[in-house]
């Protein structure tokens, strides 16, 4: 009678047990829910890049939004100031960052519409290398003078500048920044000659005016309004089409110089090709924050006008402003200093 084959024991087979474990692990992974394999966004700290030093409009926006995001999402939102080349340093950094939603950027009309017309070569494309999320605020400029400058309005400044050609220094936040273009347009339209002194951001720009290193400056409203309210500078004009609630007694420049209007904006972008679900979450979260009464009141009090949009609308704005500001730069003759 033939014998049946003896059963083979796995006890002494060196590869049997690991193979069994691998099979079991594969089964567990196969049945594991997707949430266990990928953490939901955001699961760690966010970085909000600002293209200028602390103290300017972009910095104010980043810190205001970051504090609210941390409350809402339970993750830190850290402001990362990366000044240099009128915002080009920060723009290049963000353009080359991973598009996972953890690196965001407070961009400006200067970084994404003016700089491409001022700088002959950029290491990034202002449209292709970024994901538009939403606009944040419109920002007119405020024409400020040091308290020692003997002028009370735009007419007085024009007369003084013509009397003392090239003697009055004007500070800007950097070549190509909105204050630079605002001043160059003013010079072109009034025929005055003032000397440009560029600084690395709105903070140093404001310090230069307070210290008397510069007699004049065009500052984005959120940067300039606090100085006026503190008595550190005198506002003699605003660059928008209407007076602003933060400075209701200060006339528009166009009331003296017909046709003079300069309005900028700040927005929120990320690197190109951000995932749609992440983009949607950021857009919804940030626009909800910007609609909160305390945030709106704070920004309006600084002279900024909250202004929100869809990603597509923001992208269209950047496209149109690239064309608009290229003409402004050409007509004004503005160049790097």
């Amino acid at each position: 009678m033939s014998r049946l084959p003896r059963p083979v024991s796995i006890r002494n087979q060196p590869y049997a047990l690991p193979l069994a474990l691998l099979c079991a692990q594969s089964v567990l992974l196969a049945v594991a829910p997707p949430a266990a394999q990928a953490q939901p966004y955001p699961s760690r700290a966010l970085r909000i890049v600002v293209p200028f030093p602390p103290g300017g409009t972009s910095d104010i926006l980043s810190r205001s939004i970051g504090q609210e995001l941390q409350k809402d999402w339970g993750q830190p939102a850290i402001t990362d100031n990366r000044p240099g080349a009128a915002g080009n340093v920060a723009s290049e950094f963000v353009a080359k960052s991973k598009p996972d939603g953890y690196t965001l950027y407070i961009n400006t009309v200067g970084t994404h519409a003016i700089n491409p017309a001022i700088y002959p070569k950029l290491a990034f494309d202002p449209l292709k290398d970024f994901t538009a999320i939403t606009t944040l605020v419109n920002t007119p400029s405020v024409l400020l003078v040091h308290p020692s400058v003997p002028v009370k309005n735009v007419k007085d400044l024009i007369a003084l500048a013509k009397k003392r050609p090239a003697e009055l220094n004007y500070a800007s936040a950097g070549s190509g920044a909105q204050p630079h273009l605002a001043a160059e347009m003013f010079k072109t339209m009034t025929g005055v000659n003032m000397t440009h002194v560029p600084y690395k951001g709105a903070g140093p720009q404001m310090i230069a005016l307070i210290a008397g290193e510069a007699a004049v400056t065009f500052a984005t409203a959120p940067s300039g309004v606090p100085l006026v309210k503190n008595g550190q500078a005198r506002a003699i004009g605003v660059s928008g089409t209407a007076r602003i609630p933060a400075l209701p007694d200060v006339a528009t420049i166009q009331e003296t110089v017909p046709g003079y209007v300069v309005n900028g904006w700040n927005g929120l972008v990320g690197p190109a090709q951000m995932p749609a679900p992440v983009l949607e979450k950021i857009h919804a979260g940030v626009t909800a924050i910007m609609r909160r009464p305390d945030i709106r009141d704070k920004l309006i009090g600084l002279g900024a006008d909250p202004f929100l949009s869809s990603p597509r609308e923001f992208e269209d704005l950047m496209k149109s402003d690239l064309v608009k500001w290229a003409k402004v730069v050409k007509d004004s003759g503005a160049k790097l200093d």
Side-chain angles (χ1 to χ4, degrees):
M1 183 174 177
S2 62
R3 294 184 177 181
L4 293 172
R6 292 181 61 188
V8 179
S9 171
I10 66 171
R11 180 175 299 174
N12 297 317
Q13 303 299 318
Y15 302 107
L17 186 56
L19 181 61
L21 289 175
L22 285 172
C23 292
Q25 186 181 40
S26 299
V27 171
L28 288 172
L29 288 173
V31 299
Q37 300 180 40
Q39 292 180 310
Y41 175 87
S43 58
R44 54 186 172 86
L46 285 75
R47 178 206 309 261
I48 305 178
V49 177
V50 171
F52 305 110
T57 304
S58 299
D59 187 70
I60 293 168
L61 285 166
S62 175
R63 295 179 193 278
S64 299
I65 292 170
Q67 288 173 4
E68 297 299 307
L69 283 177
Q70 184 164 336
K71 293 177 189 176
D72 294 350
W73 291 353
Q75 296 291 346
I78 302 164
T79 292
D80 181 2
N81 297 91
R82 289 181 176 261
N88 291 336
V89 170
S91 295
E92 181 179 355
F93 173 79
V94 174
K96 294 179 179 179
S97 296
K98 188 175 180 180
D100 55 8
Y102 290 96
T103 299
L104 305 177
Y105 185 29
I106 305 287
N107 72 330
T108 72
V109 66
T111 62
H112 277 65
I114 298 174
N115 282 1
I118 289 275
Y119 288 81
K121 290 184 180 181
L122 293 176
F124 59 89
D125 185 292
L127 296 175
K128 294 179 182 178
D129 290 338
F130 298 89
T131 298
I133 299 173
T134 180
T135 47
L136 297 171
V137 293
N138 276 322
T139 53
S141 291
V142 180
L143 175 51
L144 304 175
V145 296
H146 186 269
S148 66
V149 179
V151 302
K152 294 184 178 179
N153 53 48
V154 173
K155 184 178 179 181
D156 289 347
L157 177 62
I158 295 171
L160 180 65
K162 287 187 175 180
K163 183 179 179 181
R164 298 164 51 186
E167 290 185 25
L168 297 180
N169 290 341
Y170 81 85
S172 81
S175 296
Q178 180 182 334
H180 178 205
L181 266 292
E184 290 300 315
M185 283 181 62
F186 183 81
K187 288 169 57 179
T188 299
M189 295 179 71
T190 60
V192 302
N193 184 9
M194 298 187 294
T195 301
H196 180 208
V197 183
Y199 290 84
K200 293 183 178 180
Q205 172 196 3
M206 297 298 95
I207 292 171
L209 183 72
I210 294 170
E213 293 177 11
V216 182
T217 196
F218 284 77
T220 53
S223 300
V225 167
L227 271 64
V228 177
K229 293 185 175 180
N230 291 337
Q232 295 172 301
R234 182 184 305 123
I236 61 173
V238 294
S239 70
T241 56
R243 300 187 183 198
I244 60 177
L247 299 172
D249 297 328
V250 179
T252 64
I253 296 172
Q254 71 170 357
E255 292 176 44
T256 303
V257 185
Y260 182 93
V261 175
V262 175
N263 270 320
W265 46 257
N266 289 78
L268 186 70
V269 299
Q273 299 181 341
M274 285 173 57
V278 172
L279 171 59
E280 291 166 6
K281 181 161 187 175
I282 296 170
H283 183 273
V286 171
T287 54
I289 288 168
M290 292 293 293
R291 291 189 178 101
R292 290 173 186 169
D294 57 334
I295 299 295
R296 286 183 57 84
D297 291 347
K298 174 184 177 180
L299 294 171
I300 291 171
L302 290 171
D305 179 22
F307 165 52
L308 303 174
S309 67
S310 69
R312 179 60 182 272
E313 289 169 338
F314 187 18
E315 186 176 341
D316 289 343
L317 172 64
M318 288 191 284
K319 287 179 181 177
S320 64
D321 269 10
L322 276 166
V323 176
K324 169 188 169 181
W325 285 99
K327 184 178 186 305
V328 170
V329 169
K330 182 179 179 181
D331 292 347
S332 71
K335 58 184 183 300
L336 295 177
D337 290 276

